[in-house]
Amino acid sequence: MKQFIYVVMLSVFFLTACTTSRMSMDTLPAKVKLDKQVSIPNDTTIAIYLPATNLSNRFYLENSGIFIDPGLATKEAVDKVMKTYFTAYSLFEPSSDKTYGMLLDLNPEWDFSYGSVEMKLSYTVYGANRAELMKGEKSFKTETGSLQDGNGFYNAVLRSLQLAVIDILNKLKPNNGKYPNMLAMKDMAIEQLVNKDKPLRTGTGFYVNSSGQLLTAAHVSKDCALLEIKDGAEKYSGTLAAHSNILDLALINTHHKPRSTLPVRKNSAVKLGEFVSMIGFPLQGVLADSPNLTRGNVSSMSGMQGSAGQLQFSAPIQPGSSGGPIVSETGELLGVTLSTLSTAKMVEKGILPQNVNFALHPKHVEKFLNKYHVPFQVFSPKTNAPPTSYEDALPAVVQIACYQ
Amino acid sequence: MKQQILALLWVGITSTSLATEQISNVLPHMRFASTVKAELIFDKIKAMPAFVNVSKDNHGASLTLRVSHGYRTSAGGAAAGATTGLLAATTLGIIPIVKSHDLVVTYEILANDTVIDTIEFRKGFTDAVNLFSEAAQAGKMSKDEEAWLIGTLPEFELAMSKSEKVKTLVDEYSYYFST
């Protein structure tokens, strides 16, 4: 009989642990309630700044063979809460003419422990005069449930945001008259909204002309609300001007007069085996913020199977090197650093790869620059020219930090 | 050779103008990635004229065709599952669990991890499964679900052939890589 009860209890536990439904917004935790003076849906026009990766967050669980989609759950939960409490809301777009009366800047962080998920949501509210109205933090921990349906993620966002919104409504008692819909999104400084404590990622870029246009890998500049360029002791912002997801290449405009620029080799004539240097700013936060220069050679004129427009080189690279230039002995651009062969994946297959790195061939860099009418220099080295000291190449290379 | 034959067959069974439009939309080398059993769909996708260049071994390709599937539980489905689950537990599995959920299959074209276009299909399924069966534990696809998933392939092909985003992608690819 005891065994029977144990089996039943275990089965019930298993079933309940695996099933999590989406929460209703009607039942609030004890002591939490909306002030009677506040009417909902509230007529204040509200905008929400949410880091782009929080909405696109999707990852693959290799062991289970399934995709987990916290981004979709976040999007749905935010929509549910905002449509319940406000008549009009929109997601903040930095270049939009759309106006708002109140701006809710969200900085969400996930925390995972066995079987549960927690959303830690810090927030700041701004008025249409750009002034900070209030800030706070809410969190909510719940069972993960079935990872596939994402209900655990949905519930964590739903409840933490609901608690934050209730706090805002109770404290500010907003309405369209008190916070008129008058500031265009494009007029709000994005620097005020992004989390500057830590960049989302860092990479490397290099100037191609004296107008301050630089190239980097597209995956470095992807989804960045703010691109900060670090050139020695100087810091300034850049804007994404063009990009190609196919090439993994991006053009960034700055208003900076560069100390040097990199020319592309004439006819993009890369030779198999020729010596190259890779210049980059790897391992941000670990190494000093000075450029790293590593040496190697062009080890293959093609990349991995199925790739197009890539070459392989052996100069060592690290995270943060992406977008950095591959430079010839005579100082011309021979490629843009894109990726490396995954050591972890290859080790699983019993292979330990060494310095198998990939760069975009300069022929395609030229095509990209021509497509967007970007001026650049072409340089033809003399045969048997003596190696240069990279004095011209080094100052053309900068560090790029991406913030959200 | 197989690719050429398929392309020729396609030309033969369509009008000239349509054939020209379709051929111009033949996608370049793509990596195939799927959470669905490859043997269920890979050959069928590979047989589509637009996707003749899809390969599981194109690890370096900048383009990817990703097919993923997942289950979404509705509130009603969760309640039914929990209730029948309790009954199944108390009867040590004699009474089956009634599982009611939506199966979602998503086809995506990606360029270096950026989703270019996507099409999603969703259908509700209700199955009675034994508490201790593999299907109950691991959420394996039933035969009906597999058949439905295969049935979404023609719609996926049609959607992609009409996709302006995919056409722009192919044009950009041609700009960079045509000789």
Side-chain angles (χ1 to χ4, degrees):
Chain A
M1 188 60 191
K2 261 186 183 175
Q3 280 174 332
F4 174 75
I5 291 168
Y6 285 144
V7 169
V8 169
M9 282 175 71
L10 276 171
S11 304
V12 169
F13 174 76
F14 171 75
L15 285 161
T16 50
C18 289
T19 313
T20 302
S21 304
R22 289 197 167 191
M23 272 181 169
S24 153
M25 285 177 51
D26 301 336
T27 324
L28 284 166
K31 294 182 186 171
V32 176
K33 63 179 181 185
L34 193 65
D35 195 307
K36 283 176 184 166
Q37 291 176 305
V38 178
S39 61
I40 56 163
N42 194 276
D43 66 355
T44 313
T45 304
I46 189 164
I48 290 191
Y49 175 77
L50 195 57
T53 46
N54 281 90
L55 295 171
S56 60
N57 191 0
R58 188 172 192 237
F59 57 92
Y60 184 62
L61 269 192
E62 205 155 341
N63 290 343
S64 313
I66 54 170
F67 274 97
I68 310 299
D69 214 338
L72 179 66
T74 301
K75 205 181 289 180
E76 290 175 349
V78 167
D79 193 58
K80 178 77 179 168
V81 173
M82 298 313 290
K83 280 184 175 165
T84 303
Y85 288 100
F86 293 92
T87 47
Y89 96 96
S90 46
L91 290 175
F92 184 85
E93 296 165 55
S95 55
S96 172
D97 290 323
K98 213 182 273 182
T99 54
Y100 64 84
M102 209 160 79
L103 172 62
L104 176 56
D105 178 12
L106 299 175
N107 185 16
E109 264 184 48
W110 291 111
D111 195 11
F112 300 97
S113 52
Y114 183 75
S116 67
V117 56
E118 184 174 15
M119 165 53 67
K120 291 175 178 168
L121 188 68
S122 53
Y123 64 91
T124 310
V125 185
Y126 297 96
N129 59 358
R130 303 182 189 85
E132 183 184 309
L133 299 173
M134 68 175 283
K135 65 198 305 184
E137 197 173 315
K138 293 287 170 192
S139 63
F140 187 72
K141 191 174 185 177
T142 183
E143 285 166 6
T144 314
S146 161
L147 285 169
Q148 271 201 78
D149 62 24
N151 289 346
F153 296 110
Y154 175 90
N155 292 341
V157 177
L158 185 94
R159 184 47 54 86
S160 56
L161 181 59
Q162 186 185 16
L163 295 174
V165 166
I166 287 173
D167 259 13
I168 293 163
L169 291 172
N170 285 346
K171 187 170 176 188
L172 300 177
K173 300 191 173 51
N175 58 56
N176 195 33
K178 196 174 175 184
Y179 298 104
N181 179 20
M182 54 188 264
L183 186 68
M185 292 181 187
K186 66 179 183 188
D187 295 330
M188 178 67 182
I190 193 75
E191 288 84 352
Q192 235 176 304
L193 305 179
V194 298
N195 179 4
K196 285 292 292 279
D197 295 342
K198 195 180 163 196
L200 177 71
R201 70 180 83 88
T202 64
T204 305
F206 56 95
Y207 286 101
V208 287
N209 60 42
S210 55
S211 307
Q213 292 186 295
L214 58 89
L215 288 178
T216 187
H219 71 265
V220 171
S221 61
K222 187 181 174 185
D223 290 337
C224 304
L226 176 70
L227 283 165
E228 190 176 76
I229 317 298
K230 200 172 174 189
D231 186 0
E234 270 189 282
K235 280 182 185 175
Y236 43 89
S237 63
T239 51
L240 182 66
H243 74 284
S244 166
N245 289 317
I246 291 174
L247 299 181
D248 195 3
L249 190 63
L251 175 74
I252 293 171
N253 285 345
T254 71
H255 297 294
H256 183 75
K257 179 86 182 156
R259 290 179 286 148
S260 182
T261 61
L262 272 179
V264 180
R265 178 179 284 180
K266 192 176 180 185
N267 298 329
S268 302
V270 184
K271 292 177 197 140
L272 181 65
E274 77 174 287
F275 290 111
V276 293
S277 294
M278 192 275 146
I279 306 171
F281 289 87
L283 303 173
Q284 198 258 351
V286 179
L287 300 178
D289 287 341
S290 57
N292 265 42
L293 190 147
T294 55
R295 305 262 293 156
N297 66 319
V298 176
S299 37
S300 172
M301 297 304 285
S302 55
M304 283 201 288
Q305 188 174 332
S307 69
Q310 293 186 5
L311 52 84
Q312 189 186 316
F313 67 99
S314 63
I317 64 170
Q318 311 291 341
S321 300
S322 287
I326 306 301
V327 182
S328 75
E329 289 231 290
T330 40
E332 320 90 64
L333 179 74
L334 292 189
V336 180
T337 305
L338 298 181
S339 61
T340 186
L341 192 62
S342 167
T343 308
K345 290 272 178 204
M346 297 308 286
V347 164
E348 283 173 18
K349 294 179 178 179
I351 303 163
L352 186 62
Q354 290 184 348
N355 298 325
V356 182
N357 307 317
F358 304 103
L360 182 65
H361 194 284
K363 178 181 162 187
H364 303 294
V365 176
E366 271 195 65
K367 280 195 167 186
F368 176 84
L369 293 171
N370 287 332
K371 185 178 181 185
Y372 295 103
H373 312 291
V374 179
F376 62 98
Q377 286 180 300
V378 174
F379 182 71
S380 179
K382 288 176 189 163
T383 315
N384 300 323
T388 63
S389 63
Y390 302 105
E391 276 173 5
D392 290 337
L394 277 167
V397 185
V398 291
Q399 188 174 27
I400 298 172
C402 166
Y403 292 96
Q404 281 192 344
Chain B
M1 187 63 187
K2 190 181 172 190
Q3 292 173 5
Q4 287 166 336
I5 292 167
L6 285 169
L8 286 169
L9 277 173
W10 183 253
V11 172
I13 58 170
T14 53
S15 69
T16 310
S17 59
L18 179 64
T20 309
E21 191 186 320
Q22 295 289 340
I23 292 299
S24 69
N25 276 341
V26 171
L27 287 155
H29 288 288
M30 300 181 95
R31 189 168 69 91
F32 177 78
S34 174
T35 62
V36 178
K37 282 186 289 185
E39 59 264 33
L40 203 63
I41 54 170
F42 178 73
D43 288 343
K44 292 179 178 67
I45 289 175
K46 183 95 179 152
M48 296 172 184
F51 292 95
V52 289
N53 293 320
V54 165
S55 165
K56 293 175 213 166
D57 299 321
N58 280 342
H59 301 295
S62 55
L63 306 185
T64 302
L65 168 62
R66 185 164 73 190
V67 187
S68 57
H69 78 292
Y71 292 98
R72 306 279 180 270
T73 319
S74 60
T83 310
T84 55
L86 288 173
L87 276 171
T90 49
T91 58
L92 294 180
I94 295 168
I95 292 176
I97 305 170
V98 176
K99 296 184 79 178
S100 182
H101 52 217
D102 284 354
L103 172 60
V104 181
V105 59
T106 311
Y107 298 88
E108 294 166 298
I109 304 286
L110 298 100
N112 279 320
D113 286 339
T114 297
V115 176
I116 302 299
D117 205 359
T118 179
I119 180 164
E120 186 179 285
F121 300 92
R122 178 188 280 248
K123 190 174 189 262
F125 286 90
T126 302
D127 292 315
V129 290
N130 185 274
L131 175 64
F132 304 106
S133 74
E134 200 181 14
Q137 314 271 330
K140 299 261 175 189
M141 259 194 253
S142 67
K143 292 285 174 204
D144 285 350
E145 290 169 343
E146 286 184 356
W148 170 76
L149 193 148
I150 290 167
T152 64
L153 286 168
E155 278 186 74
F156 151 70
E157 184 185 17
L158 185 67
M160 289 301 152
S161 72
K162 287 180 177 173
S163 167
E164 279 301 314
K165 291 174 187 169
V166 173
K167 187 182 179 307
T168 306
L169 184 78
V170 173
D171 289 347
E172 188 191 346
Y173 198 95
S174 301
Y175 169 78
Y176 288 117
F177 300 114
S178 63
T179 48

